[in-house]
Amino acid sequence: MIVLKGTALAQQRLSTPQVIHYSSNDYKAGMQNWDIAQDARGIMYFGNNEGLLTFNGHFWNTYPLTNHTAVRSLEIASNQRIYVGGLGEIGYFEPNANGILTYHSLLPLLASKDRSFGDVWNVSIVGEDVFFQSLAQIMHFHAGKLTVYPSESAWIFMGKATGVLYAQQTDKGLYQWQGNRWKLVSEDPVLKQHSLTSIQPAGRHTLWFTTLQKGIYQWQGGTLSPQKTSADATFITDRIYCAWALENNQYALGTNASGLYIVDRSGKIIQKYTSAEGLPNPNVRGIWLDKNKNLWLALNDGIACITLNSPIQYIYPNGSKPTTGYSMAKVGNLLYAGTSNGLYVAPLEDSPADLSKAQGVFSEIAEGKGQVWRLDLLGKELYMGHENGLFHIQDRQVKEKGNLPGTWTWASFSAQHYVIGTYDGLRQLTASASVTDIAGLRESLRFLYVDSTQHTIWSSHPSRGVFQIKWKPQDSQMASVQVYSKENGLPSSLYNYVYQARGKMVVTTEKGIYEFNAKENWFVPSAFFQKLLGNLAIQYLKEDPEGNIWFVNHKRLGLIDFQTGSQPQILYFPELTGKLVGGFESIYPIDSDNIFVGSNRGFVHINYRQYQKQIQKPAILLSGVKVTGARDSLIFGGYPMVGEGITLQPGMNSLVFEFTSPSYTQQNTTEYSYQLKGVDSEWSTWSTKTEKAYTHLPWGNYTFQVKARTNLGQESDVFTYAFFIEPAWYESYWSYGAYTLILLGVLYQLFAWQRRKHQTEQKQLTYLHQLELDRTEKELVRLQNQQLEADVEFKNKELAAMTMQLVQRGEVLGKVKDVVTTLAKKQDSKDSALSFRQVLRLIRDVESKDADWGQFTLHFNTVNDDFFHLLKLKYPELTPNDLKLCAYLKMNLSSKEIARLMNVTVKAIEIGRYRLRKKLNLNSEINLYEFLVDLSKEPRMNG
């Protein structure tokens, strides 16, 4: 969107409203626009070359006709039907069940012969009757029927004024709709030959007729007379194409080539908007004054909106070449403007409360050419701070005061002395107009505050700090200069500015407003301003006559209003954000009706009293709801629906909500908050965002809510939109029933599986337990066997020891026997022989006793597990000597050892072995020892 500013002609209004231009690139439709209307909700409609164009303050939409021709004319009925006429097409738009604007053609109601009627240039509605005018015929739509009134020559105009419908026919004159018929009411030659373009009310029983090529006529009591204006020549050559009656007996006249004129009832031009003065295109084809008194223009290329009733107006002292505005002052009926290229003055022809409505034209004062920094009173006289010094202004004369360097500002020290801040320090100006230097500080001092009671001058430099200067009038030298910076309580040594507010000196900083504590010689945050502005960076401060304080925060204009309400209110003006002169801000408040603000393109005039009244409770519109995804689709078109809500199919769960407020000049001052019940637990924070997207919403009921508020805090009503997202087939109740059954089945199978698993695990555990028991038992058996083997080993060792003892005893007894026998043979005495024979007998008794054998048998059976018993069971024919022989053989004793134990010869043992083999049925190849060992390993047989 391109924003332009119109300018006033020499004999016209001092200021001009803002002109907003919408190009075809903005609204994405045809260049040419033909007609305009506004519905009850505030939505604007335009007849465009590509169909019906709508605008709700943020979103544009285009709705084509059936035959895709231009919409030449349109009008909205009381039931909000939008009747339109195009090339060979008539019909109406109204919303369908989903609030989407839909076209309905009326052509089927016409007979075939009446359907070739060309362009429909006007649509008018009178009560419940709708009229469509083309050159060939006028079509009357009523109660679902169309009546055709063909032209005898050509119907060249149709329009209404004061509720009465008129039509004009070439060579016939002017007709009026009366009693369901067209009645000829004037045959004036002008009306027969020259086409009317509008009929406007002009007082009691008086109408204004605008013509295409003959200017303006007044019609009163059936008599037609010319209405003279100072622009008649232009109206005749450049044609009046459309008109609209404004307030205060003024009229807006749109021409084909000279833009828009605003004239009063006497014909005086009040304002003019042309291409050179801000209107983007001079060919005006349609006019509409909306509910907020904004004037809309349908242009041959684009659309324009002139904010006629806006409390913010623009002043361009240099006409079509805007320059930066730095200072303004009003003295008497003269308004002075200081700019970046010189001084301008405008004599005010009248003095309305709102000076922006005054008649006046700025002209340049040659002596003031150059950079003007300040215009203000010095005593009772107007002075100008200029890049070339200080100048006195009287009437329209400019005279230099002293030979000063570039002058920024000044302040009164006393009734006779003034302090002047220049590019190069301070100067003193006395009532006698003498100028002297004040030595002691050579800095560019643009900010001053004087405390004459303390003989103190406060000043500041954006990069040097804050200066406290002690000085007395008449002195040519400063008594002292102290610099305050970050080391003295200020948040920074940079960007500190000295101002006066509420009767005291304050310093605006990067972190709020500070005050000076004289006792501590220290700067501290202002408790008063801290509560209001906190640590907001402030670059400029100005107190108006009513005690309100205007301030600038990074090119954003704000106000602390102490007059409205019981508590101070903080208000911002977003309309001016970015338009102020950074570092050289200027505000000139005369009263609440006249606040002049320097801008980068001239000056801005704010009527604060009107600003407060005009900003009322905003409206809120939900302009559309779209489903996003593979294929985007519009499910709500922003118009009232039939029914309470809408049901969305499964999968249509990613939505974009578009909303706006139809406040066309306050879009940048309006904020929005929204909430989707069912998703959002709280309202969103306020923002200028005009759409909200939600993705992957689960099925269920939802309600979208949205509201708007202005920068003055007024909130709109809440707009609600309810909808229901159906569940997918897999989310239906039947599906959930099936899911439940499946889940139960799965749970049952899981339970059965778990049970089987448990049983299997139990079996496995039992098996493992049994294995463990078996392993334990085997281990016990092994340990027992090991113990048994140890016992057997021990007993074997005992048996072996006993056997060896027996063998050794036998050997000893044998040796003793041999010795005794030998000795007995050598003794001759009978007594001795008898004694030796008794000893021998005793030895033989010892050798033949079985006591030792019994003990041996006991040990042997213990070690060899009833070896003898087993032999007797298998071989019962074995004798005791055979058993003894088997025992000794199993012990792997030699024949010699066995013979000694058995007290026989070795040969006897060999014979015994032979016999034993026969009894045991063993052949010679079998080892008798191994046989006996294997036999002892056989399980015991129960007899």
Side-chain angles (χ1 to χ4, degrees), residues 116-353:
S116 298
F117 47 77
D119 282 300
V120 176
W121 294 102
N122 289 288
V123 177
S124 295
I125 300 175
V126 180
E128 296 182 357
D129 298 300
V130 184
F131 297 85
F132 302 89
Q133 174 253 320
S134 70
L135 295 177
Q137 60 196 36
I138 291 178
M139 294 156 280
H140 175 207
F141 178 64
H142 179 77
K145 295 182 179 181
L146 272 174
T147 304
V148 177
Y149 298 90
S151 172
E152 298 179 20
S153 53
W155 293 106
I156 55 176
F157 171 77
M158 182 180 71
K160 63 180 180 180
T162 64
V164 179
L165 183 64
Y166 297 91
Q168 182 187 17
Q169 190 170 182
T170 304
D171 298 330
K172 297 294 182 179
L174 185 67
Y175 291 79
Q176 182 178 326
W177 179 255
Q178 294 181 2
N180 291 326
R181 68 184 184 89
W182 288 107
K183 179 182 178 181
L184 184 65
V185 293
S186 177
E187 297 182 274
D188 189 285
V190 173
L191 298 177
K192 286 184 177 183
Q193 299 175 10
H194 298 284
S195 175
L196 297 179
T197 55
S198 76
I199 300 178
Q200 303 296 329
R204 186 176 179 83
H205 306 301
T206 302
L207 298 174
W208 264 28
F209 289 178
T210 62
T211 67
L212 193 62
Q213 293 178 299
K214 292 289 287 182
I216 303 171
Y217 285 82
Q218 188 178 98
W219 196 54
Q220 187 175 25
T223 302
L224 195 67
S225 59
Q227 174 66 54
K228 298 295 183 181
T229 72
S230 58
D232 281 345
T234 299
F235 292 156
I236 291 173
T237 58
D238 292 339
R239 304 184 177 191
I240 300 175
Y241 194 84
C242 52
W244 193 278
L246 306 175
E247 294 178 339
N248 302 321
N249 297 323
Q250 295 179 355
Y251 300 88
L253 307 175
T255 69
N256 282 153
S258 292
L260 181 76
Y261 286 79
I262 295 179
V263 300
D264 63 14
R265 191 168 292 177
S266 67
K268 179 182 177 181
I269 295 177
I270 304 300
Q271 191 76 316
K272 179 183 177 184
Y273 300 91
T274 68
S275 299
E277 296 154 331
L279 193 66
N281 186 276
N283 190 343
V284 182
R285 298 182 177 273
I287 299 176
W288 184 275
L289 187 70
D290 71 14
K291 297 177 180 180
N292 295 321
K293 311 304 180 185
N294 300 308
L295 196 64
W296 292 83
L297 307 180
L299 304 176
N300 191 58
D301 183 5
I303 297 168
C305 177
I306 303 175
T307 60
L308 288 180
N309 199 41
S310 173
I312 297 178
Q313 301 286 314
Y314 297 86
I315 298 174
Y316 303 99
N318 198 26
S320 60
K321 298 178 181 180
T323 58
T324 303
Y326 285 96
S327 188
M328 188 166 276
K330 179 179 179 295
V331 179
N333 70 332
L334 296 178
L335 186 64
Y336 293 90
T339 72
S340 57
N341 67 345
L343 178 66
Y344 295 82
V345 62
L348 305 179
E349 297 181 10
D350 50 359
S351 296

Side-chain angles (χ1 to χ4, degrees), residues 429-713:
L429 175 67
T430 64
S432 60
S434 64
V435 178
T436 58
D437 185 30
I438 303 176
L441 181 64
R442 293 303 178 193
E443 292 284 359
S444 179
L445 301 177
R446 192 155 58 92
F447 306 91
L448 289 179
Y449 173 82
V450 171
D451 184 356
S452 57
T453 61
Q454 300 296 322
H455 301 288
T456 301
I457 302 170
W458 289 95
S459 186
S460 64
H461 189 285
S463 60
R464 299 282 193 274
V466 176
F467 303 104
Q468 184 192 59
I469 303 168
K470 294 293 185 177
W471 175 78
K472 293 181 180 180
Q474 305 294 348
D475 289 352
S476 60
Q477 179 73 32
M478 300 174 184
S480 66
V481 177
Q482 184 174 353
V483 182
Y484 294 86
S485 61
K486 187 176 181 179
E487 289 72 23
N488 307 99
L490 293 171
S492 172
S493 299
L494 303 175
Y495 309 117
N496 301 304
Y497 308 97
V498 170
Y499 291 104
Q500 176 178 328
R502 303 181 70 82
K504 62 174 65 176
M505 186 274 296
V506 296
V507 176
T508 64
T509 74
E510 292 180 310
K511 294 184 179 180
I513 298 176
Y514 279 64
E515 296 178 355
F516 183 66
N517 186 324
K519 292 182 179 180
E520 302 293 334
N521 194 31
W522 194 262
F523 277 93
V524 295
S526 168
F528 177 80
F529 286 106
Q530 190 76 18
K531 294 179 181 178
L532 298 172
L533 300 176
N535 293 328
L536 194 69
I538 305 296
Q539 290 83 41
Y540 181 84
L541 211 62
K542 183 71 174 182
E543 188 171 2
D544 68 20
E546 296 183 0
N548 301 318
I549 296 179
W550 298 77
F551 63 90
V552 175
N553 161 248
H554 297 307
K555 296 188 179 181
R556 182 174 62 152
L557 179 63
L559 171 68
I560 307 174
D561 187 344
F562 296 98
Q563 308 304 317
T564 303
S566 58
Q567 297 295 326
Q569 296 183 7
I570 308 298
L571 172 68
Y572 290 96
F573 297 82
E575 302 94 334
L576 273 63
T577 298
K579 297 179 181 179
L580 307 184
V581 185
F584 294 90
E585 298 84 359
S586 171
I587 299 175
Y588 177 54
I590 296 177
D591 51 38
S592 60
D593 292 326
N594 299 282
I595 310 293
F596 294 90
V597 181
S599 79
N600 49 22
R601 290 172 60 84
F603 295 87
V604 179
H605 177 276
I606 301 175
N607 186 328
Y608 181 56
R609 191 192 310 274
Q610 182 188 352
Y611 192 93
Q612 290 177 296
K613 294 179 180 178
Q614 178 169 302
I615 300 182
Q616 301 173 351
K617 182 179 180 179
I620 184 66
L621 299 176
L622 182 63
S623 57
V625 180
K626 297 178 181 178
V627 176
T628 61
R631 295 180 61 184
D632 293 354
S633 60
L634 183 68
I635 59 172
F636 175 65
Y639 291 85
M641 299 190 308
V642 178
E644 294 297 325
I646 186 173
T647 299
L648 302 180
Q649 297 177 1
M652 300 175 69
N653 60 349
S654 292
L655 306 176
V656 175
F657 298 88
E658 297 175 344
F659 41 86
T660 188
S661 176
S663 303
Y664 299 97
T665 61
Q666 299 171 12
Q667 284 300 308
N668 56 354
T669 68
T670 304
E671 296 179 320
Y672 304 91
S673 180
Y674 49 81
Q675 179 187 34
L676 181 61
K677 285 189 173 181
V679 175
D680 301 326
S681 59
E682 298 179 350
W683 285 84
S684 70
T685 56
W686 292 99
S687 72
T688 56
K689 182 180 178 181
T690 58
E691 64 179 20
K692 172 60 179 176
Y694 292 92
T695 59
H696 305 298
L697 295 172
W699 72 275
N701 288 295
Y702 297 91
T703 300
F704 182 76
Q705 301 183 123
V706 62
K707 58 185 177 180
R709 77 172 181 186
T710 67
N711 60 326
L712 289 179

